Amino acid sequence: MERPERPRANGCGAHGALRNGFVRGPPGTQINHIVHNGGLYKRPFNEAFEETPMLVAVLTYVGYGVLTLFGYLRDFMRQWKIEKCQNATEREEQKDFVPLYQDFENFYNRNLYMRIRDSWNRPICSVPGAKVDMMERVSHDYNWTFTYTGRVIKDIINMGSYNYLGFAQKTGACQEAASKVLSQYGAGVCSTRQEMGNLDKHEELEKLVARFLGVESAMAYGMGFATNSMNIPALVGKGCLILSDELNHASLVLGARLSGATIRIFKHNNMQSLEKLLKDAIVHGQPRTRRPWKKILILVEGIYSMEGSIVRLPEVIALKKKYKSYLYLDEAHSIGALGPSGRGVVDYFGLNPEDVDVMMGTFTKSFGAAGGYIGGKKELIDYLRTYSHSAAYATSMSPPVVEQIITSVKCIMGEDGTTIGRARVQQLAENTRYFRRRLKEMGFIIYGNEDSPVVPLMLYMPAKIGAFGREMLKRNIGVVVVGFPATPIIESRARFCLSAAHTKEMLDTALKEINEVGDLLQLKYSRRRLVPLLDRPFDETTYEETED
C-alpha cells in the first residue's frame, strides 16, 4: 500500500501535481487544495500517510526479532520447568490425542501480547462520556492474572470511546426517554421480528432512519457486527464477485466469506486498483467457464477505523456506474460523525443517497446505543426482511435502546425543537481539525483524513505500545493502543477518537500530556512539521511545511 509523504488532494494533471493529486512545492510553502477528477469532488479532500522512517522500520523489526528470540528461550525454560508455565496446555494423559491448544499459534499471545496485556480490557465503572471512572487493577505475575485494588481512578479524559456526538450520557433527553420506555415496555422482547417481537417502536425507528438517510426504506438489527456478517450472504452467493477494500472491517470480511461468493481485494482507497479489478471481471468473467458474473458487489467503509481515512466515495460511485456493479457502504464510523447535517459520508461529499445501493451503519457510536441498520430501496429491504438471518433468527432490539436511538436521531435532525444536534456535529468537526493540527505541529506522524474523528498516532516499536498506554493512564488520559496482528507489524499505533463532548480545555490537557509522553518515549518521528500560526482560528487548518 502506498504511503505518501505529502498531504493528498483530488485529481491529477494540474501543473506541479503528480498522480493521485500529490503536490510538490519548495520547502516552507503552503500546500494548496486541488480539485479536479472531472469535478467529482465539491470540497477539498486531504489525507496524509507519511512514510515510515527507514531507521524506525529497521528498529521495529529488530525489536520484534528480539522479542521472538526471548520467546523461544522462555518456552524452552518452561518446557524444562525452569520457568513456571502459565499458559493452557494438554494434560499428560491426553498427549497422544489431537491437541486442543496449538503451542506455535499461541506463541504471540504467550510471549509478546502478555507483556502489554494490561493496556487492554481495562474495567470502566461509569458512563463512557468525555470523562470516565476506571477500576484500578494490578498484576503480580506479569499480566497473567489481575487483582482489583478496590480503588477507582476518577475523571480520566476518555480519548478512546466511539462517542462521537456525546450521546453516551446518563442525564438529558435520551436518558429520560429511554427510562420512560423501559417502564412501559421492559428491557427485552424475547422474540424475533418475524414472530412476536415486532414492536411499534421498531417500526417508528425504521421510518425515522429511512428519513434521516434519505432512502425509501430501512431495517434495524440488534447487533452491528451481525448486520454485515449476516446480510451480505443474503445479497450475494456462488457465481457472484465481491470486490473488497484490503482494510475492511472483520464483519465485512466474515460476511463476504460466508456468502460463498468469489472475493478479490483492491488496495486501500486506490481507485486504479479497483478499476483494474472491475475491468478484469467484465472482460474475463468467472474462472474456467468465462460466464458473466451474476453480481459484482463493491464493499467499502465510510471511515476506516484503524487508518482514519475517508472513502473516496465520488470516485467509487463513478466506477460503480461505469461498470454496472453494486455498492455496499458501511457507515459504522461515519454516520453522525461526518457531513454538515451528520448524515455520513454521502452528506459529506454532497452526493445522492440513491447512488449507494446498500447503506449500512451502526447505532453503537454516534448514537450512544447498540445495533445496526440497512437502508436502500423498498424492494431491497422487503427482500432482507424475509431472507436475512438477522431478521429471521435474532432477537429484536431492546425497547430502551430503540428509544435512545430515536431520541438522538431526532436531536440530530432538529425535530426535537432544538439546535443541540447540529451544534454537536459542528463541535465534533472543530474538535477534529484542532486536535489533528496540534498533533502534527508537535511532530507526530498522524494518519488519515483531516476531517476524520478517528486519529491514529504512530508508535511503531512494540515496547512503545504498552509504554504509551501506561504513561497516558498515569496522567489520567485513557487511550487505545493497537498493534500486530490488528495492524501491519511495523505500524503499531495509538488511536484517539474525538467527541463533541470534549471541551477545548480537555483537548488542551490531553495534548499537553501527549506532547510530554511523546518527548519521553521519543515518538515524534515526522520529517515534516506544521508551522503553528498564532493568529489561526480554532476551527481552521493551514498547512505549511518546513525541512528538519
Side-chain angles (χ1 to χ4, degrees):
M1 182 170 59
E2 294 180 354
R3 295 293 190 209
E5 296 185 18
R6 305 261 180 190
R8 291 184 192 169
N10 303 320
C12 54
H15 179 68
L18 303 177
R19 183 174 61 86
N20 285 338
F22 296 98
V23 187
R24 284 180 180 163
T29 59
Q30 183 172 329
I31 301 300
N32 297 314
H33 300 302
I34 298 178
V35 183
H36 291 289
N37 268 337
L40 289 177
Y41 290 84
K42 301 175 183 178
R43 58 177 299 147
F45 186 80
N46 294 292
E47 287 187 349
F49 294 93
E50 188 174 342
E51 187 177 7
T52 305
M54 181 60 71
L55 178 60
V56 174
V58 171
L59 291 176
T60 302
Y61 280 120
V62 169
Y64 276 105
V66 171
L67 284 172
T68 303
L69 288 174
F70 273 92
Y72 280 116
L73 175 61
R74 295 184 71 182
D75 277 357
F76 175 80
M77 295 170 69
R78 292 179 186 125
Q79 184 178 358
W80 289 96
K81 312 299 183 186
I82 300 172
E83 179 181 329
K84 183 179 179 181
C85 184
Q86 301 267 19
N87 58 292
T89 55
E90 306 292 342
R91 293 190 297 175
E92 188 65 28
E93 57 267 27
Q94 291 181 318
K95 63 181 182 179
D96 295 327
F97 285 48
V98 175
L100 289 174
Y101 306 103
Q102 297 291 336
D103 282 346
F104 185 77
E105 290 178 5
N106 293 326
F107 179 87
Y108 179 87
N109 287 343
R110 194 167 57 245
N111 295 300
L112 282 75
Y113 166 72
M114 200 58 63
R115 292 173 178 265
I116 53 177
R117 184 175 168 227
D118 58 302
S119 297
W120 291 280
N121 305 317
R122 288 169 173 161
I124 305 298
C125 52
S126 69
V127 172
K131 291 186 176 182
V132 295
D133 299 336
M134 186 181 297
M135 297 174 65
E136 186 181 57
R137 61 181 184 176
V138 295
S139 177
H140 302 290
D141 54 4
Y142 303 101
N143 294 337
W144 285 96
T145 60
F146 293 100
T147 304
Y148 294 104
T149 64
R151 175 174 170 259
V152 174
I153 308 172
K154 296 281 189 178
D155 294 330
I156 297 171
I157 297 177
N158 180 8
M159 301 299 297
S161 295
Y162 306 132
N163 183 26
Y164 296 130
L165 294 181
F167 283 113
Q169 53 193 16
K170 60 182 179 182
T171 59
C174 290
Q175 182 270 334
E176 293 169 3
S179 297
K180 185 178 178 181
V181 167
L182 178 63
S183 63
Q184 180 181 351
Y185 289 84
V189 180
C190 305
S191 183
T192 67
R193 292 287 299 276
Q194 292 186 358
E195 295 169 346
M196 295 292 291
N198 189 33
L199 304 181
D200 57 340
K201 284 291 177 185
H202 294 135
E203 301 204 0
E204 179 186 352
L205 170 64
E206 291 173 347
K207 290 176 183 176
L208 180 64
V209 169
R211 220 158 22 89
F212 179 61
L213 299 175
V215 296
E216 292 180 10
S217 185
M219 184 172 182
Y221 301 88
M223 182 181 178
F225 191 99
T227 305
N228 278 332
S229 61
M230 292 290 100
N231 281 297
I232 292 174
L235 297 173
V236 291
K238 190 175 181 181
C240 299
L241 174 65
I242 292 175
L243 302 180
S244 178
D245 190 290
E246 66 178 344
L247 296 182
N248 273 342
H249 189 262
S251 59
L252 290 169
V253 174
L254 178 61
R257 290 175 176 172
L258 291 176
S259 71
T262 300
I263 305 168
R264 290 175 184 166
I265 310 299
F266 61 91
K267 292 181 180 179
H268 175 56
N269 240 355
N270 188 312
M271 296 303 106
Q272 290 86 1
S273 175
L274 174 58
E275 184 167 22
K276 183 179 184 303
L277 290 179
L278 284 166
K279 283 181 178 178
D280 290 346
I282 300 298
V283 171
H284 301 296
Q286 299 184 42
R288 291 181 295 147
T289 64
R290 301 302 180 191
R291 292 176 180 172
W293 296 100
K294 295 177 181 177
K295 295 176 191 171
I296 299 177
L297 181 66
I298 302 170
L299 297 184
V300 293
E301 295 185 47
I303 293 177
Y304 290 85
S305 59
M306 283 297 171
E307 303 297 306
S309 53
I310 297 175
V311 65
R312 294 175 173 271
L313 191 60
E315 295 174 68
V316 175
I317 288 176
L319 289 175
K320 167 226 158 183
K321 290 180 176 179
K322 181 178 179 180
Y323 293 98
K324 305 294 188 294
S325 55
Y326 295 96
L327 175 59
Y328 186 110
L329 174 63
D330 179 347
E331 291 219 73
H333 287 268
S334 55
I335 191 68
L338 285 182
S341 56
R343 285 174 166 85
V345 70
V346 176
D347 183 33
Y348 176 78
F349 286 113
L351 302 173
N352 188 346
E354 292 182 0
D355 289 335
V356 180
D357 301 287
V358 186
M359 296 183 70
M360 177 271 174
T362 64
F363 302 120
T364 55
K365 300 169 179 68
S366 293
F367 308 101
Y373 67 82
I374 283 185
K377 292 190 178 297
K378 187 176 184 301
E379 294 83 358
L380 168 70
I381 304 304
D382 289 344
Y383 173 83
L384 290 176
R385 290 189 195 279
T386 304
Y387 293 101
S388 167
H389 284 75
S390 287
Y393 302 110
T395 302
S396 301
M397 294 179 71
S398 172
V401 173
V402 172
E403 189 63 24
Q404 163 79 19
I405 301 164
I406 291 173
T407 310
S408 57
V409 171
K410 285 183 176 179
C411 182
I412 297 170
M413 296 174 72
E415 293 187 2
D416 62 343
T418 72
T419 58
I420 293 174
R422 179 63 66 94
R424 292 192 183 199
V425 172
Q426 293 174 351
Q427 186 64 52
L428 174 63
E430 291 179 9
N431 287 354
T432 296
R433 296 188 193 103
Y434 176 70
F435 192 77
R436 281 182 167 273
R437 173 174 60 80
R438 287 289 307 278
L439 287 178
K440 289 179 181 178
E441 287 171 359
M442 292 174 187
F444 295 103
I445 293 182
I446 305 299
Y447 275 9
N449 192 287
E450 65 177 9
D451 291 323
S452 169
V454 179
V455 185
L457 184 154
M458 304 310 293
L459 303 175
Y460 298 113
M461 300 179 194
K464 295 184 180 182
I465 301 172
F468 186 82
R470 293 174 193 132
E471 289 297 328
M472 292 303 294
L473 186 58
K474 285 180 186 177
R475 293 160 172 79
N476 255 35
I477 312 291
V479 301
V480 172
V481 289
V482 191
F484 179 81
T487 66
I489 195 166
I490 65 166
E491 291 187 8
S492 301
R493 63 199 68 180
R495 184 184 64 180
F496 302 102
C497 292
L498 278 302
S499 171
H502 288 138
T503 63
K504 187 172 185 292
E505 290 70 28
M506 290 180 190
L507 294 181
D508 285 338
T509 301
L511 287 163
K512 174 179 173 292
E513 303 298 348
I514 293 167
N515 187 40
E516 184 179 313
V517 174
D519 290 331
L520 177 67
L521 302 180
Q522 298 183 4
L523 297 174
K524 299 179 179 180
Y525 302 114
S526 181
R527 289 171 292 184
R528 57 179 177 82
R529 301 290 175 89
L530 291 175
V531 179
L533 301 181
L534 298 179
D535 58 344
R536 179 163 46 204
F538 169 61
D539 62 341
E540 293 183 9
T541 303
T542 303
Y543 289 96
E544 295 189 4
E545 295 192 7
T546 56
E547 296 290 339
D548 285 341

